[in-house]
Amino acid sequence: MSSLISGLKGRAELGVALLLGAAGVLVFLDANRLVTPYSQSDPVGPKTVPYIVAGLLLVCAVLLAVNVIRGGQGEAEGGEDVDLTHPADWKTILPLAGAFILNILLIDWAGWVISGTVLFWGSVLALGSRHYIRDGLISVALSLLTFYGFYLGLGIALPAGLLEGIL
Amino acid sequence: MDVWSSLMDGFATALTPMNFLYAVIGVLLGTAVGVLPGLGPAMTVALLLPVTYALEPTSAFIMFAGIYYGGMYGGSTTSILLNTPGESSSVVTAIEGNKMAKAGRAAQALATAAIGSFVAGTIGTALLAVCAPIVVQFAVSLGAPSYFAIMVLALLAVTAVLGSSRLRGFASLALGLAIGLVGIDSVTGQRRLTFGQPLLADGLDIVVVAVAIFAVGEALWVAAHLRRTPLHAIPVGQPWMGKSDWKRSWKPWLRGTAFGFPFGALPAGGAEIPTFLSYVTEKRLSKHPEEFGKGAIEGVAGPEAANNAAAAGTLTPMLALGLPTNATAAVMLAAFTSYGIQPGPQLFSSQGPLVWALIASLFIGNLLLLLINLPLAPMWAKLLQLPRPYLYAGILFFATLGAYSVNLQAFDLVLLLVLGTLGFMMRRFGLPVLPLILGVILGPRIEGQLRKTLQLSAGDPAGLFSEPIAVVVYIIVGLILLWPLLFKLFRRTRPAPKTAVPANSGATVPREVGGSVSHGSHRADGPADGDGDG
């Protein structure tokens, strides 16, 4: 058991192979469920391409698993603000995702101005800014500006939500 | 139709005051967003897509032209002043450009990049105007079998040639194709991969997919690895060039253009290979080879020109065949289809005025870039100092806004998060982004051509080979797939020193060159990061 765990350590990439495999099975099962009579005008039918895609996914999953077990590794992507020397910082990611999810939950009910403010303010906070009041003001300003900008400039009415009638 | 008179009509459309204004806004927005670290041209176009929805198609595409070249130019400013290229195509520019900036010659580096981009962009756009109609004439004679073959070639080429791991490229492609399957099958009306979810029946909106993979994935990825101490951007004044700089720049500009355009127009072109080729050529031909690695102006002039010429080249297959070969073109193709316009050979006849207005505004955008960016360079440089929390929170904010405004459905934001997580995972494990995006966009089109082909041949697979062009293309596809094998044979018979990477057996350079960029150097050999365009 312990040898299995140490063997799996640093092989998080096997999860990618697993995901590919799962996707492959999913595509296959979904295509399998389609029922279409053979038709002269469409000899290929809606199932052929999904089968091919499922096959490609499964082959990739197997090859990737083999590659990773043999010590292969994908290169993480660099960039201007990316410092790969420290490991993934979950203390940033999770609050960030939280702000994003909060926005999804709030947007239709509370409206864009409120949910957008929550999104921006929460994200800035998660990313390490500590100017609470300044950030809050910027968030409100951005949300209001985009709300009116989209409404007046583009004719797109973002939801006003709770502030319906005030905005 | 006569190219010249059509082009003049295009200028007439593009130069009306309102359209001209859109071109200016496009160039400014494109450059501003392109300068921001972490935002490549593809992401720029994807993020700004919703802004153009309210416009009529012609104005929207005029704005796109500005955004396209502006985003490209913005990227080179970032790489010169920060030494960490946002796009793989700017990697080479960063090598000499940042050395020049450190040596106090940032003004000259920016000037030669801007003027070189202008020269290359103008020549490239002219070549586009001349070549596209010729390609169209050739393309109208092609039937479904040839189209199918060419699309297969484009997908395989992008997947197999670019990027450091072919296996991971194919994995990404497969995921993209699977995402492209979601929705109602257009021929039989069957629902595929919708899981009974009516909101999925229309398929995934390509804007949502692109914004999720490029913007949300990138923001999450950067957030996880945010640099504690942001890089120092080198301050810069008004760009200018002395006489000797001009003398040393003009030939590299032209040579870079010659490298860039053809590579950009090829299915797996992109800007990485021509920029590297241009760099090597300039190093070899330079009268000052000792300056290379310390800030040689030729090393900025050539690759930057190649980069922009490739950007123009990319538009040739995009407009004439409906075949995007890099991420930016893929997003633009998505924009075309969202307006109900199908790029391809019929485009020039059915939407002639729009296409020529687009080409004309590429010329205009190019000139505007030069006029606006030389004086505004110091201001763009200030954008680099934007505090990172604001930058990445802003990306998330505008990504959400953009994706939501397409259909005004919170469900799209759920998709945005799911696919953004996928984008994060792909960056973490080295899966290139470009094959996925091309898979999503080209997948349904390929399937359509396949079904048409076999419909014509009444189900006989031989129908796939019924056109000579298709056969030729399959031979090329075979060569690409067998390339690593052939390469090994070649190496065995003649042991080459430390050869690596792309399509060119002579291209021993990329890895060596890439190695000399301090940060993000692995992007040099992993160019399929999604911004892999020129």
Side-chain angles (χ1 to χ4, degrees):
Chain A
M1 190 65 199
S2 64
S3 70
L4 183 70
I5 289 172
S6 67
L8 284 175
K9 209 176 173 193
R11 299 275 164 81
E13 213 176 340
L14 283 175
V16 181
L18 204 66
L19 178 85
L20 289 171
V25 171
L26 196 70
V27 174
F28 176 83
L29 290 179
D30 184 80
N32 213 20
R33 148 198 87 75
L34 300 174
V35 257
T36 37
Y38 179 81
S39 111
Q40 191 66 43
S41 64
D42 182 26
V44 175
K47 298 169 91 161
T48 312
V49 173
Y51 281 144
I52 297 173
V53 173
L56 187 61
L57 278 165
L58 291 171
V59 169
C60 284
V62 172
L63 289 180
L64 189 65
V66 171
N67 179 290
V68 173
I69 287 167
R70 284 189 181 167
Q73 233 180 352
E75 283 176 283
E77 196 183 273
E80 285 104 341
D81 293 329
V82 172
D83 180 3
L84 290 173
T85 52
H86 65 82
D89 177 8
W90 293 104
K91 276 185 199 151
T92 306
I93 291 285
L94 293 178
L96 204 59
F100 199 96
I101 293 169
L102 213 56
N103 171 55
I104 298 178
L105 297 175
L106 285 176
I107 193 163
D108 283 332
W109 173 68
W112 168 251
V113 176
I114 293 175
S115 72
T117 305
V118 170
L119 171 66
F120 190 84
W121 195 71
S123 306
V124 172
L125 205 69
L127 286 162
S129 176
R130 289 294 172 265
H131 306 274
Y132 302 102
I133 296 176
R134 190 178 79 184
D135 297 347
L137 291 177
I138 293 177
S139 310
V140 174
L142 257 183
S143 308
L144 277 173
L145 269 178
T146 45
F147 183 84
Y148 282 110
F150 267 62
Y151 184 68
L152 301 173
L154 303 175
I156 298 172
L158 295 166
L162 291 180
L163 302 175
E164 186 94 59
I166 304 172
L167 294 170
Chain B
M1 215 179 7
D2 181 21
V3 169
W4 185 250
S5 68
S6 319
L7 187 59
M8 284 304 120
D9 288 343
F11 271 107
T13 317
L15 282 175
T16 57
M18 263 333 265
N19 284 341
F20 185 72
L21 183 69
Y22 285 124
V24 175
I25 296 174
V27 167
L28 284 175
L29 272 179
T31 315
V33 181
V35 167
L36 291 173
L39 287 159
M43 208 203 287
T44 311
V45 176
L47 277 178
L48 294 175
L49 209 56
V51 179
T52 60
Y53 276 166
L55 307 176
E56 54 147 340
T58 314
S59 310
F61 283 100
I62 285 169
M63 206 161 136
F64 267 133
I67 293 173
Y68 187 54
Y69 277 152
M72 210 72 64
Y73 175 83
S76 71
T77 308
T78 319
S79 61
I80 289 171
L81 298 180
L82 267 188
N83 190 27
T84 44
E87 300 90 57
S88 49
S89 50
S90 303
V91 168
V92 187
T93 310
I95 302 173
E96 298 298 324
N98 189 252
K99 294 267 161 48
M100 281 183 75
K102 281 196 179 126
R105 282 169 45 82
Q108 286 84 348
L110 286 182
T112 198
I115 302 169
S117 299
F118 169 72
V119 171
T122 307
I123 298 176
T125 312
L127 286 174
L128 165 71
V130 174
C131 292
I134 299 172
V135 178
V136 166
Q137 264 172 21
F138 161 76
V140 283
S141 65
L142 299 179
S146 301
Y147 267 111
F148 177 69
I150 292 173
M151 286 182 184
V152 169
L153 171 66
L155 278 187
L156 287 183
V158 166
T159 309
V161 176
L162 304 174
S164 50
S165 164
R166 288 155 62 100
L167 172 58
R168 289 172 178 80
F170 276 107
S172 165
L173 174 68
L175 285 173
L177 290 173
I179 294 173
L181 283 175
V182 175
I184 292 179
D185 169 43
S186 58
V187 182
T188 60
Q190 296 264 9
R191 286 165 179 236
R192 294 192 296 196
L193 293 173
T194 58
F195 311 108
Q197 184 49 268
L199 289 171
L200 284 175
D202 291 336
L204 300 180
D205 200 299
I206 191 68
V207 175
V208 176
V209 178
V211 169
I213 298 284
F214 287 125
V216 179
E218 179 80 11
L220 292 177
W221 174 239
V222 175
H225 293 275
L226 194 60
R227 237 179 249 289
R228 298 286 183 252
T229 45
L231 293 167
H232 176 66
I234 298 164
V236 68
Q238 176 76 44
W240 61 277
M241 292 204 314
K243 207 170 178 189
S244 70
D245 296 323
W246 279 96
K247 224 165 137 188
R248 290 174 60 178
S249 289
W250 72 271
K251 278 187 202 154
W253 288 339
L254 295 182
R255 281 193 289 258
T257 310
F259 277 122
F261 188 84
F263 272 99
L266 286 177
E272 293 82 20
I273 298 166
T275 46
F276 280 122
L277 286 179
S278 164
Y279 182 81
V280 184
T281 312
E282 295 315 328
K283 196 171 177 181
R284 199 172 296 153
L285 293 178
S286 171
K287 287 192 188 113
H288 314 268
E290 74 286 351
E291 278 186 29
F292 271 79
K294 292 180 198 129
I297 195 165
E298 292 94 338
V300 180
E304 260 313 288
N307 188 0
N308 261 50
T314 306
L315 292 178
T316 314
M318 212 283 271
L319 291 174
L321 297 173
L323 197 68
T325 56
N326 66 32
T328 320
V331 178
M332 282 179 74
L333 185 85
F336 269 101
T337 32
S338 73
Y339 278 105
I341 299 167
Q342 284 297 332
Q346 290 81 30
L347 182 69
F348 277 76
S349 47
S350 66
Q351 298 282 346
L354 185 142
V355 178
W356 287 106
L358 173 67
I359 294 176
S361 42
L362 286 172
F363 280 110
I364 298 167
N366 229 329
L367 183 66
L368 283 174
L369 266 181
L370 191 68
L371 297 180
I372 292 176
N373 283 333
L374 284 180
L376 286 186
M379 196 190 91
W380 297 137
K382 287 220 177 67
L383 273 182
L384 290 174
Q385 285 153 5
L386 191 71
R388 296 306 184 252
Y390 292 128
L391 174 60
Y392 291 101
I395 292 178
L396 280 178
F397 181 86
F398 283 103
T400 306
L401 185 62
Y404 185 76
S405 65
V406 179
N407 301 317
L408 298 179
Q409 285 167 1
F411 179 70
D412 279 346
L413 297 183
V414 178
L415 289 177
L416 195 67
L417 185 63
V418 172
L419 292 173
T421 313
L422 179 69
F424 173 86
M425 186 212 77
M426 292 174 75
R427 285 172 173 82
R428 163 70 182 81
F429 294 110
L431 262 62
V433 178
L434 181 59
L436 180 133
I437 292 290
L438 285 187
V440 175
I441 290 174
L442 282 184
R445 300 163 74 90
I446 283 194
E447 186 181 13
Q449 298 292 356
L450 175 68
R451 287 162 95 162
K452 218 183 273 174
T453 304
L454 292 187
Q455 186 187 337
L456 294 174
S457 69
D460 181 1
L464 289 172
F465 305 95
S466 61
E467 289 185 14
I469 299 289
V471 177
V472 173
V473 173
Y474 285 127
I475 294 173
I476 300 174
V477 167
L479 284 178
I480 290 178
L481 288 178
L482 293 175
W483 176 248
L485 221 70
L486 297 172
F487 194 65
K488 258 183 211 155
L489 284 175
F490 171 78
R491 276 240 286 231
R492 199 169 297 161
T493 46
R494 215 187 68 188
K498 206 180 147 195
T499 349
V501 199
N504 199 311
S505 60
T508 54
V509 238
R511 286 229 166 163
E512 293 162 21
V513 172
S516 67
V517 192
S518 52
H519 310 284
S521 62
H522 43 289
R523 278 200 158 186
D525 32 6
D529 58 70
D531 306 320
D533 41 15

PDB file of all heavy atoms in Angstrom, chain B residues 149-175:
ATOM      1  N   ALA B 149     -10.252  16.728 -46.211  1.00  0.00           N
ATOM      2  CA  ALA B 149      -8.823  16.416 -46.100  1.00  0.00           C
ATOM      3  C   ALA B 149      -8.045  17.622 -45.570  1.00  0.00           C
ATOM      4  O   ALA B 149      -7.197  17.502 -44.687  1.00  0.00           O
ATOM      5  CB  ALA B 149      -8.283  15.983 -47.459  1.00  0.00           C
ATOM      6  N   ILE B 150      -8.359  18.821 -46.105  1.00  0.00           N
ATOM      7  CA  ILE B 150      -7.608  20.005 -45.697  1.00  0.00           C
ATOM      8  C   ILE B 150      -7.845  20.319 -44.219  1.00  0.00           C
ATOM      9  O   ILE B 150      -6.917  20.665 -43.479  1.00  0.00           O
ATOM     10  CB  ILE B 150      -7.989  21.209 -46.581  1.00  0.00           C
ATOM     11  CG1 ILE B 150      -7.477  20.977 -48.012  1.00  0.00           C
ATOM     12  CG2 ILE B 150      -7.390  22.492 -46.026  1.00  0.00           C
ATOM     13  CD1 ILE B 150      -7.945  22.010 -49.002  1.00  0.00           C
ATOM     14  N   MET B 151      -9.083  20.143 -43.764  1.00  0.00           N
ATOM     15  CA  MET B 151      -9.363  20.408 -42.353  1.00  0.00           C
ATOM     16  C   MET B 151      -8.656  19.404 -41.451  1.00  0.00           C
ATOM     17  O   MET B 151      -8.136  19.755 -40.396  1.00  0.00           O
ATOM     18  CB  MET B 151     -10.864  20.372 -42.096  1.00  0.00           C
ATOM     19  CG  MET B 151     -11.571  21.595 -42.641  1.00  0.00           C
ATOM     20  SD  MET B 151     -13.316  21.517 -42.253  1.00  0.00           S
ATOM     21  CE  MET B 151     -13.893  22.969 -43.087  1.00  0.00           C
ATOM     22  N   VAL B 152      -8.648  18.138 -41.894  1.00  0.00           N
ATOM     23  CA  VAL B 152      -7.920  17.131 -41.121  1.00  0.00           C
ATOM     24  C   VAL B 152      -6.453  17.535 -41.033  1.00  0.00           C
ATOM     25  O   VAL B 152      -5.829  17.491 -39.965  1.00  0.00           O
ATOM     26  CB  VAL B 152      -8.066  15.736 -41.771  1.00  0.00           C
ATOM     27  CG1 VAL B 152      -7.104  14.751 -41.133  1.00  0.00           C
ATOM     28  CG2 VAL B 152      -9.494  15.234 -41.639  1.00  0.00           C
ATOM     29  N   LEU B 153      -5.919  17.986 -42.174  1.00  0.00           N
ATOM     30  CA  LEU B 153      -4.518  18.410 -42.195  1.00  0.00           C
ATOM     31  C   LEU B 153      -4.284  19.546 -41.197  1.00  0.00           C
ATOM     32  O   LEU B 153      -3.334  19.521 -40.420  1.00  0.00           O
ATOM     33  CB  LEU B 153      -4.123  18.862 -43.599  1.00  0.00           C
ATOM     34  CG  LEU B 153      -2.757  19.540 -43.714  1.00  0.00           C
ATOM     35  CD1 LEU B 153      -1.641  18.558 -43.415  1.00  0.00           C
ATOM     36  CD2 LEU B 153      -2.547  20.152 -45.095  1.00  0.00           C
ATOM     37  N   ALA B 154      -5.178  20.540 -41.221  1.00  0.00           N
ATOM     38  CA  ALA B 154      -4.985  21.691 -40.334  1.00  0.00           C
ATOM     39  C   ALA B 154      -4.984  21.260 -38.875  1.00  0.00           C
ATOM     40  O   ALA B 154      -4.117  21.663 -38.097  1.00  0.00           O
ATOM     41  CB  ALA B 154      -6.088  22.724 -40.574  1.00  0.00           C
ATOM     42  N   LEU B 155      -5.931  20.408 -38.518  1.00  0.00           N
ATOM     43  CA  LEU B 155      -5.998  19.951 -37.123  1.00  0.00           C
ATOM     44  C   LEU B 155      -4.752  19.167 -36.732  1.00  0.00           C
ATOM     45  O   LEU B 155      -4.152  19.410 -35.694  1.00  0.00           O
ATOM     46  CB  LEU B 155      -7.230  19.063 -36.914  1.00  0.00           C
ATOM     47  CG  LEU B 155      -8.557  19.763 -36.690  1.00  0.00           C
ATOM     48  CD1 LEU B 155      -9.615  18.741 -36.323  1.00  0.00           C
ATOM     49  CD2 LEU B 155      -8.440  20.796 -35.589  1.00  0.00           C
ATOM     50  N   LEU B 156      -4.368  18.224 -37.601  1.00  0.00           N
ATOM     51  CA  LEU B 156      -3.226  17.389 -37.265  1.00  0.00           C
ATOM     52  C   LEU B 156      -1.948  18.214 -37.231  1.00  0.00           C
ATOM     53  O   LEU B 156      -1.103  18.022 -36.367  1.00  0.00           O
ATOM     54  CB  LEU B 156      -3.077  16.253 -38.276  1.00  0.00           C
ATOM     55  CG  LEU B 156      -4.113  15.154 -38.156  1.00  0.00           C
ATOM     56  CD1 LEU B 156      -3.818  14.050 -39.145  1.00  0.00           C
ATOM     57  CD2 LEU B 156      -4.118  14.592 -36.740  1.00  0.00           C
ATOM     58  N   ALA B 157      -1.831  19.136 -38.178  1.00  0.00           N
ATOM     59  CA  ALA B 157      -0.601  19.920 -38.251  1.00  0.00           C
ATOM     60  C   ALA B 157      -0.433  20.735 -36.978  1.00  0.00           C
ATOM     61  O   ALA B 157       0.626  20.739 -36.360  1.00  0.00           O
ATOM     62  CB  ALA B 157      -0.640  20.824 -39.478  1.00  0.00           C
ATOM     63  N   VAL B 158      -1.508  21.412 -36.570  1.00  0.00           N
ATOM     64  CA  VAL B 158      -1.423  22.238 -35.371  1.00  0.00           C
ATOM     65  C   VAL B 158      -1.127  21.363 -34.156  1.00  0.00           C
ATOM     66  O   VAL B 158      -0.370  21.733 -33.264  1.00  0.00           O
ATOM     67  CB  VAL B 158      -2.736  23.013 -35.172  1.00  0.00           C
ATOM     68  CG1 VAL B 158      -2.797  23.592 -33.773  1.00  0.00           C
ATOM     69  CG2 VAL B 158      -2.835  24.122 -36.193  1.00  0.00           C
ATOM     70  N   THR B 159      -1.724  20.175 -34.145  1.00  0.00           N
ATOM     71  CA  THR B 159      -1.557  19.307 -32.989  1.00  0.00           C
ATOM     72  C   THR B 159      -0.182  18.661 -32.951  1.00  0.00           C
ATOM     73  O   THR B 159       0.447  18.571 -31.906  1.00  0.00           O
ATOM     74  CB  THR B 159      -2.624  18.197 -33.029  1.00  0.00           C
ATOM     75  OG1 THR B 159      -3.886  18.807 -33.206  1.00  0.00           O
ATOM     76  CG2 THR B 159      -2.638  17.413 -31.741  1.00  0.00           C
ATOM     77  N   ALA B 160       0.281  18.212 -34.118  1.00  0.00           N
ATOM     78  CA  ALA B 160       1.494  17.402 -34.134  1.00  0.00           C
ATOM     79  C   ALA B 160       2.759  18.228 -34.296  1.00  0.00           C
ATOM     80  O   ALA B 160       3.809  17.842 -33.808  1.00  0.00           O
ATOM     81  CB  ALA B 160       1.399  16.364 -35.256  1.00  0.00           C
ATOM     82  N   VAL B 161       2.667  19.345 -34.980  1.00  0.00           N
ATOM     83  CA  VAL B 161       3.893  20.080 -35.286  1.00  0.00           C
ATOM     84  C   VAL B 161       4.254  21.049 -34.171  1.00  0.00           C
ATOM     85  O   VAL B 161       5.399  21.137 -33.743  1.00  0.00           O
ATOM     86  CB  VAL B 161       3.758  20.842 -36.620  1.00  0.00           C
ATOM     87  CG1 VAL B 161       4.994  21.669 -36.874  1.00  0.00           C
ATOM     88  CG2 VAL B 161       3.537  19.859 -37.750  1.00  0.00           C
ATOM     89  N   LEU B 162       3.260  21.797 -33.680  1.00  0.00           N
ATOM     90  CA  LEU B 162       3.542  22.757 -32.631  1.00  0.00           C
ATOM     91  C   LEU B 162       3.492  22.040 -31.284  1.00  0.00           C
ATOM     92  O   LEU B 162       2.858  21.019 -31.132  1.00  0.00           O
ATOM     93  CB  LEU B 162       2.506  23.879 -32.653  1.00  0.00           C
ATOM     94  CG  LEU B 162       2.375  24.610 -33.978  1.00  0.00           C
ATOM     95  CD1 LEU B 162       1.228  25.586 -33.925  1.00  0.00           C
ATOM     96  CD2 LEU B 162       3.652  25.336 -34.323  1.00  0.00           C
ATOM     97  N   GLY B 163       4.150  22.597 -30.314  1.00  0.00           N
ATOM     98  CA  GLY B 163       4.061  22.023 -28.974  1.00  0.00           C
ATOM     99  C   GLY B 163       5.148  21.006 -28.729  1.00  0.00           C
ATOM    100  O   GLY B 163       5.707  20.436 -29.663  1.00  0.00           O
ATOM    101  N   SER B 164       5.414  20.771 -27.467  1.00  0.00           N
ATOM    102  CA  SER B 164       6.545  19.915 -27.145  1.00  0.00           C
ATOM    103  C   SER B 164       6.133  18.453 -27.053  1.00  0.00           C
ATOM    104  O   SER B 164       6.938  17.573 -27.205  1.00  0.00           O
ATOM    105  CB  SER B 164       7.178  20.364 -25.830  1.00  0.00           C
ATOM    106  OG  SER B 164       6.180  20.504 -24.859  1.00  0.00           O
ATOM    107  N   SER B 165       4.872  18.178 -26.787  1.00  0.00           N
ATOM    108  CA  SER B 165       4.442  16.797 -26.657  1.00  0.00           C
ATOM    109  C   SER B 165       3.267  16.527 -27.578  1.00  0.00           C
ATOM    110  O   SER B 165       2.189  17.077 -27.411  1.00  0.00           O
ATOM    111  CB  SER B 165       4.047  16.511 -25.201  1.00  0.00           C
ATOM    112  OG  SER B 165       3.297  15.324 -25.131  1.00  0.00           O
ATOM    113  N   ARG B 166       3.500  15.679 -28.561  1.00  0.00           N
ATOM    114  CA  ARG B 166       2.419  15.374 -29.516  1.00  0.00           C
ATOM    115  C   ARG B 166       1.267  14.680 -28.816  1.00  0.00           C
ATOM    116  O   ARG B 166       0.106  14.950 -29.095  1.00  0.00           O
ATOM    117  CB  ARG B 166       2.955  14.489 -30.637  1.00  0.00           C
ATOM    118  CG  ARG B 166       3.857  15.205 -31.596  1.00  0.00           C
ATOM    119  CD  ARG B 166       4.823  14.254 -32.280  1.00  0.00           C
ATOM    120  NE  ARG B 166       4.158  13.246 -33.081  1.00  0.00           N
ATOM    121  CZ  ARG B 166       4.019  13.319 -34.403  1.00  0.00           C
ATOM    122  NH1 ARG B 166       4.468  14.354 -35.052  1.00  0.00           N
ATOM    123  NH2 ARG B 166       3.448  12.371 -35.071  1.00  0.00           N
ATOM    124  N   LEU B 167       1.618  13.791 -27.899  1.00  0.00           N
ATOM    125  CA  LEU B 167       0.594  13.042 -27.193  1.00  0.00           C
ATOM    126  C   LEU B 167      -0.360  13.997 -26.481  1.00  0.00           C
ATOM    127  O   LEU B 167      -1.586  13.876 -26.565  1.00  0.00           O
ATOM    128  CB  LEU B 167       1.259  12.097 -26.188  1.00  0.00           C
ATOM    129  CG  LEU B 167       0.330  11.366 -25.228  1.00  0.00           C
ATOM    130  CD1 LEU B 167      -0.687  10.549 -25.989  1.00  0.00           C
ATOM    131  CD2 LEU B 167       1.140  10.492 -24.296  1.00  0.00           C
ATOM    132  N   ARG B 168       0.203  14.982 -25.765  1.00  0.00           N
ATOM    133  CA  ARG B 168      -0.639  15.928 -25.033  1.00  0.00           C
ATOM    134  C   ARG B 168      -1.422  16.818 -25.996  1.00  0.00           C
ATOM    135  O   ARG B 168      -2.540  17.237 -25.699  1.00  0.00           O
ATOM    136  CB  ARG B 168       0.212  16.737 -24.073  1.00  0.00           C
ATOM    137  CG  ARG B 168       0.685  15.868 -22.925  1.00  0.00           C
ATOM    138  CD  ARG B 168       1.702  16.531 -22.026  1.00  0.00           C
ATOM    139  NE  ARG B 168       2.051  15.627 -20.938  1.00  0.00           N
ATOM    140  CZ  ARG B 168       2.909  14.627 -21.044  1.00  0.00           C
ATOM    141  NH1 ARG B 168       3.525  14.407 -22.185  1.00  0.00           N
ATOM    142  NH2 ARG B 168       3.148  13.832 -20.023  1.00  0.00           N
ATOM    143  N   GLY B 169      -0.821  17.081 -27.164  1.00  0.00           N
ATOM    144  CA  GLY B 169      -1.547  17.821 -28.188  1.00  0.00           C
ATOM    145  C   GLY B 169      -2.788  17.066 -28.640  1.00  0.00           C
ATOM    146  O   GLY B 169      -3.872  17.630 -28.748  1.00  0.00           O
ATOM    147  N   PHE B 170      -2.619  15.770 -28.877  1.00  0.00           N
ATOM    148  CA  PHE B 170      -3.766  14.981 -29.335  1.00  0.00           C
ATOM    149  C   PHE B 170      -4.820  14.848 -28.244  1.00  0.00           C
ATOM    150  O   PHE B 170      -6.018  14.848 -28.527  1.00  0.00           O
ATOM    151  CB  PHE B 170      -3.304  13.596 -29.816  1.00  0.00           C
ATOM    152  CG  PHE B 170      -2.825  13.609 -31.236  1.00  0.00           C
ATOM    153  CD1 PHE B 170      -1.488  13.497 -31.548  1.00  0.00           C
ATOM    154  CD2 PHE B 170      -3.732  13.788 -32.268  1.00  0.00           C
ATOM    155  CE1 PHE B 170      -1.041  13.542 -32.860  1.00  0.00           C
ATOM    156  CE2 PHE B 170      -3.305  13.829 -33.579  1.00  0.00           C
ATOM    157  CZ  PHE B 170      -1.955  13.711 -33.875  1.00  0.00           C
ATOM    158  N   ALA B 171      -4.369  14.749 -27.000  1.00  0.00           N
ATOM    159  CA  ALA B 171      -5.325  14.685 -25.902  1.00  0.00           C
ATOM    160  C   ALA B 171      -6.180  15.951 -25.887  1.00  0.00           C
ATOM    161  O   ALA B 171      -7.412  15.900 -25.751  1.00  0.00           O
ATOM    162  CB  ALA B 171      -4.584  14.524 -24.578  1.00  0.00           C
ATOM    163  N   SER B 172      -5.524  17.076 -26.066  1.00  0.00           N
ATOM    164  CA  SER B 172      -6.229  18.349 -26.079  1.00  0.00           C
ATOM    165  C   SER B 172      -7.201  18.425 -27.255  1.00  0.00           C
ATOM    166  O   SER B 172      -8.349  18.864 -27.119  1.00  0.00           O
ATOM    167  CB  SER B 172      -5.193  19.476 -26.143  1.00  0.00           C
ATOM    168  OG  SER B 172      -5.790  20.679 -26.488  1.00  0.00           O
ATOM    169  N   LEU B 173      -6.726  17.953 -28.423  1.00  0.00           N
ATOM    170  CA  LEU B 173      -7.582  17.947 -29.609  1.00  0.00           C
ATOM    171  C   LEU B 173      -8.831  17.101 -29.371  1.00  0.00           C
ATOM    172  O   LEU B 173      -9.958  17.516 -29.696  1.00  0.00           O
ATOM    173  CB  LEU B 173      -6.792  17.400 -30.803  1.00  0.00           C
ATOM    174  CG  LEU B 173      -7.584  17.192 -32.090  1.00  0.00           C
ATOM    175  CD1 LEU B 173      -8.011  18.528 -32.665  1.00  0.00           C
ATOM    176  CD2 LEU B 173      -6.774  16.424 -33.121  1.00  0.00           C
ATOM    177  N   ALA B 174      -8.635  15.927 -28.778  1.00  0.00           N
ATOM    178  CA  ALA B 174      -9.771  15.030 -28.545  1.00  0.00           C
ATOM    179  C   ALA B 174     -10.790  15.683 -27.625  1.00  0.00           C
ATOM    180  O   ALA B 174     -12.002  15.600 -27.861  1.00  0.00           O
ATOM    181  CB  ALA B 174      -9.266  13.705 -27.952  1.00  0.00           C
ATOM    182  N   LEU B 175     -10.303  16.350 -26.574  1.00  0.00           N
ATOM    183  CA  LEU B 175     -11.219  17.039 -25.673  1.00  0.00           C
ATOM    184  C   LEU B 175     -12.006  18.112 -26.428  1.00  0.00           C
ATOM    185  O   LEU B 175     -13.214  18.270 -26.249  1.00  0.00           O
ATOM    186  CB  LEU B 175     -10.444  17.684 -24.524  1.00  0.00           C
ATOM    187  CG  LEU B 175      -9.920  16.751 -23.429  1.00  0.00           C
ATOM    188  CD1 LEU B 175      -9.038  17.507 -22.456  1.00  0.00           C
ATOM    189  CD2 LEU B 175     -11.096  16.116 -22.693  1.00  0.00           C
TER     190      LEU B 175
END
